[in-house]
Amino acid sequence: MMFGHWNQVKNMRRKINIISIVATIILASCQISNNPVLEVKTFNEQNNWGYEVIKNGKCIIHQDCIPVLSGNMPFTNQEDAKKVGLLVLTKIKNKETPTVSAGELRQLGIKGTS
């Protein structure tokens, strides 16, 4: 009769261990999803540069011209597109509005903004 009780205790401990492992995996996966993967990719269309901000594999910002400037002027080179894209990415990570000012463009040395 005693052995039956110990077997029940062992089975209960196994179930608790399995539940603990499953709960840990679920919590870990929730934490991963709360930290989105953000990246900047540049692109070239007809010798004009732009950037995209990618969140978890999906484009959330597609910028094919220099922000703030009138006339939809494209970036003249990949480096300028990357600089502005990284600025926008930093603002998103800091939970700021991802807008760019003319002053920020000048500070970055973006061609056509001086």
Side-chain angles (χ1 to χ4, degrees):
M1 197 84 164
M2 282 283 259
F3 293 113
H5 176 70
W6 284 110
N7 284 336
Q8 288 176 345
V9 170
K10 284 181 184 179
N11 287 336
M12 182 66 85
R13 285 183 181 165
R14 278 190 203 126
K15 287 178 184 178
I16 291 172
N17 286 339
I18 290 171
I19 291 170
S20 296
I21 291 169
V22 170
T24 302
I25 291 170
I26 290 170
L27 287 173
S29 68
C30 289
Q31 289 176 353
I32 290 170
S33 66
N34 287 336
N35 296 318
V37 176
L38 292 165
E39 61 183 318
V40 172
K41 291 184 179 180
T42 57
F43 60 86
N44 186 322
E45 292 176 348
Q46 301 173 349
N47 293 323
N48 296 319
W49 287 94
Y51 69 87
E52 292 182 331
V53 177
I54 311 295
K55 178 181 178 182
N56 294 332
K58 292 184 178 182
C59 178
I60 60 170
I61 297 175
H62 177 86
Q63 189 69 42
D64 59 357
C65 60
I66 301 172
V68 181
L69 300 183
S70 61
N72 293 329
M73 290 180 42
F75 292 95
T76 58
N77 60 55
Q78 183 179 18
E79 183 181 336
D80 283 357
K82 186 78 167 189
K83 285 181 194 177
V84 177
L86 289 172
L87 172 63
V88 169
L89 180 74
T90 299
K91 288 183 175 198
I92 292 170
K93 285 182 177 181
N94 292 334
K95 298 185 180 182
E96 299 172 22
T97 304
T99 57
V100 178
S101 70
E104 289 171 319
L105 293 175
R106 283 191 295 276
Q107 282 181 325
L108 291 173
I110 305 303
K111 291 182 175 93
T113 63
S114 52

